[in-house]
Amino acid sequence: MPVTYYVVVYFDRDEEDNLKAGEAREATNAAAAERAARALAAQHAGAVAFSRTGDPATGDFRDGAVLAQFGDVDLDALSA
């Protein structure tokens, strides 16, 4: 049975000024994820809210869909 997860990740800059993804946080829905990303971006270099849908039993998930992003983000850092 497919399930959609809503996730928020913040970004900070390291000593070399590269963006690094912080800890991922789950949100209850798309609106909550967007609000959380906006709030985190005010405290960090940036933040992104995205959703992922799939079947936890099989581990088969579609690619994430960006819901909102604020400030500086590096989407490639999420897959690293």
Side-chain angles (χ1 to χ4, degrees):
M1 170 178 236
V3 175
T4 299
Y5 292 100
Y6 300 96
V7 181
V8 180
V9 178
Y10 64 87
F11 291 83
D12 285 318
R13 293 197 176 274
D14 65 13
E15 299 80 29
E16 289 83 35
D17 204 35
N18 297 312
L19 285 170
K20 299 294 180 186
E23 182 180 336
R25 302 176 184 183
E26 193 171 342
T28 55
N29 57 51
E34 183 174 344
R35 284 192 305 273
R38 186 183 308 272
L40 285 168
Q43 301 168 7
H44 299 275
V48 62
F50 65 94
S51 64
R52 262 190 106 196
T53 301
D55 187 343
T58 64
D60 184 29
F61 281 85
R62 289 182 255 165
D63 289 341
V66 173
L67 303 170
Q69 63 184 51
F70 304 95
D72 297 332
V73 301
D74 179 4
L75 298 179
D76 292 333
L78 296 176
S79 59

